[in-house]
Structure formats: C-alpha cells, structure tokens
Amino acid sequence: MKILTIIGSPRKKGNTYQAARQLEEEMKKKGNYKFEYLFLKDANLEPCRGCFNCVPNGIEFCPLKDDREIIQEKMLEADGLVIGSPVYVLTVSALLKNYIDRLAYLCHRPEYHGKKAMLLCTTGGMGSKETLNYMETVVESWGYKVAGKCDLTKAPWPPTNGLNKKNTKNLEKSAHDFDKSLKTPNKKKQSVGLKDYMGFRIVQTISQNANEYLPADYNFYSGKEYYYPVQIGFLTKALTGILLKVIFFMMRDLGPGEEENK
C-alpha cells in the first residue's frame, strides 16, 4: 500500500521527520507499505489570498497555479495519508496551516471519503492535544477517516528512559491502529449515524437555499442522499427532518436577505 506522508515542518531533518521515519519502520513490520515523503517546505505553494473563489465557485477558480493540484492528486492516489507537524504556539506550523487554507473548499465539498489518515505531531512539552484535535477536525472535514493519532514529546534536552518508553508506546499503538484500519476493507454500503447525517443535510439545505451564492455547493449536493452510498434508517431521517426545521428557524436571520429598496 502507498502511504503519502506530508511533512509540515520547516526543518527537513527535524523531530517531525524523524518521528515519521520511526512510524514508517513500525508500519513496515506489519505489512508491505511504500512511503512517499512530501515536504511542504519544498513545495511551490503560495499563501492563500483569501479571495474565496474556491468555496462558492469551485477550486478551478483559484487564481494560484502551483503545486496544490499535484499534492491533491498524490493524496487521491495514496491508500493512506500521514500528516505530520511540529507544535508551534499550540497549533500546526505555518506551512501546514497554509496548505489547509488552500483546501478550504473541501470543508464544503469533501473529496476523500473512503480514505484513511494518521496524524502525527511533535512538541517540546505543550499543545499536542490541541494540535491533534485541530488536525483531526480538518482532515475529517476533507472526508478522511482518522485511524490514528500520535503525539511525541521531543524536549531540547536528552530524554529520560521514561519519556522514551512513552513515545515508543504511543508510536507503536498508533501504527497498530493505522495498519488495522488500512487492512480493513470499506463496506460496500455503510450505515450513517444521526450526527453525520445531520451535518450533511445542513450543508445540503444551505446549498439549496443559497444556490445563487454557492453554485459549486449546489451542484455538488444536488441529487445526493449522502456523500457516498449508505444505509439511512427511518428514525434517523425522521429526527433529522424535525431537527432541521428547528435549526433553520433559529438560523433564519443568517440567511440571504432581500436588497433594500432604493
């Protein structure tokens, strides 16, 4: 299986890369995995301009023509994705944050359902929980199933034996979970829970009500029962219908308003 590892550290041989290599060693003990490393430091990836074209109109309207599309093609081709970042001020590096910003449209129109991902961060002592939680929220919004999360503490002084054991245990468990998920085939037709179905229906309904302002979302969600083939129970559909009415009644002041008469 092909594993694409995206390194968000500005240091090519730093702690995050070394941790990714350790993960590779653990994974190769469990199966025939081929790792490809992509360093955002070396990618031609311009800063997001915040023009917002990609969200309402489509990613093809992004004015920046660089390596973004190439990286996404690699993500699509890979069986699994590893994203690694150092913890910088309680969150991901600027390099990784810029890439996340460049993929803002995926939060509206996810493209990677059925794909598995593992998240990796290194810290000098603080912020790993916040960083991994943020990365998980983002990557799941792209459609991935997060099958493993690993934080390693790499202080700027020699580690104790206890810390080495803790890091090794975290890495081995994460590799085990990622390997198990990659080897478990996706069901042809899965069931979907109330929370996930609600999230889908909220975005789908907004795209229908604001189709003039979000044409790409409208085209993406039209005719879809869910992001991919699933089984949706009668009770889930019924509860969702009721909750949608309540939610959109409460959100009524956030919708598109009529232009004032001049």
Side-chain angles (χ1 to χ4, degrees):
M1 293 186 183
K2 294 174 60 177
I3 308 296
L4 175 66
T5 300
I6 296 178
I7 302 294
S9 173
R11 301 170 59 214
K12 290 187 68 173
K13 300 298 182 181
N15 291 327
T16 302
Y17 172 70
Q18 297 300 331
R21 289 302 302 270
Q22 289 178 299
L23 173 66
E24 178 183 359
E25 292 177 8
E26 286 297 321
M27 293 293 290
K28 286 184 174 179
K29 292 177 185 177
K30 305 174 183 298
N32 184 20
Y33 291 104
K34 181 180 179 181
F35 276 67
E36 177 184 0
Y37 289 85
L38 192 154
F39 295 89
L40 292 178
K41 177 182 184 296
D42 294 336
N44 174 25
L45 205 62
E46 296 185 44
C48 176
R49 296 179 184 176
C51 67
F52 201 56
N53 282 338
C54 66
V55 174
N57 301 316
I59 188 61
E60 63 271 22
F61 290 93
C62 176
L64 305 177
K65 306 304 177 184
D66 49 23
D67 290 345
R68 189 271 314 160
E69 186 174 358
I70 295 173
I71 298 174
Q72 284 197 257
E73 287 176 357
K74 290 180 178 291
M75 292 166 62
L76 190 62
E77 293 169 358
D79 298 292
L81 175 71
V82 176
I83 297 184
S85 175
V87 175
Y88 286 169
V89 197
L90 306 182
T91 190
V92 297
S93 68
L95 285 169
L96 182 55
K97 182 60 172 67
N98 180 55
Y99 186 58
I100 290 171
D101 291 345
R102 291 290 305 278
L103 302 185
Y105 79 98
L106 288 177
C107 297
H108 282 239
R109 303 181 296 279
E111 297 179 357
Y112 298 99
H113 284 291
K115 297 284 188 179
K116 315 292 178 62
M118 180 179 160
L119 310 176
L120 177 66
C121 77
T122 56
T123 176
M126 295 179 60
S128 60
K129 180 179 179 180
E130 295 87 346
T131 301
L132 286 176
N133 286 343
Y134 170 70
M135 293 169 72
E136 182 176 27
T137 300
V138 169
V139 172
E140 285 187 342
S141 76
W142 296 349
Y144 281 95
K145 175 185 177 181
V146 174
K149 296 192 295 182
C150 181
D151 64 304
L152 302 179
T153 301
K154 300 286 187 177
W157 48 76
T160 63
N161 290 334
L163 181 57
N164 277 333
K165 289 180 181 178
K166 179 182 177 181
N167 283 338
T168 299
K169 183 178 179 181
N170 286 348
L171 195 67
E172 289 177 347
K173 181 182 183 305
S174 300
H176 170 79
D177 293 342
F178 193 34
D179 169 71
K180 182 179 178 181
S181 180
L182 287 168
K183 290 177 179 175
T184 302
N186 295 317
K187 296 178 181 178
K188 290 185 177 180
K189 195 161 188 178
Q190 307 174 41
S191 59
V192 62
L194 178 64
K195 180 182 176 182
D196 291 335
Y197 187 59
M198 270 292 300
F200 169 84
R201 290 286 288 118
I202 287 172
V203 182
Q204 185 183 52
T205 304
I206 291 174
S207 74
Q208 293 170 344
N209 294 340
N211 62 84
E212 180 181 351
Y213 305 95
L214 299 170
D217 282 8
Y218 177 75
N219 292 332
F220 179 83
Y221 286 97
S222 291
K224 281 187 170 67
E225 188 175 36
Y226 192 63
Y227 294 111
Y228 50 88
V230 292
Q231 295 176 342
I232 305 171
F234 172 79
L235 186 59
T236 297
K237 287 185 176 181
L239 284 174
T240 297
I242 296 170
L243 291 172
L244 279 176
K245 292 181 179 179
V246 174
I247 289 171
F248 282 103
F249 176 78
M250 296 174 65
M251 293 172 58
R252 62 191 182 279
D253 291 334
L254 298 178
E258 296 181 2
E259 293 185 8
E260 294 183 4
N261 295 325
K262 295 183 179 180

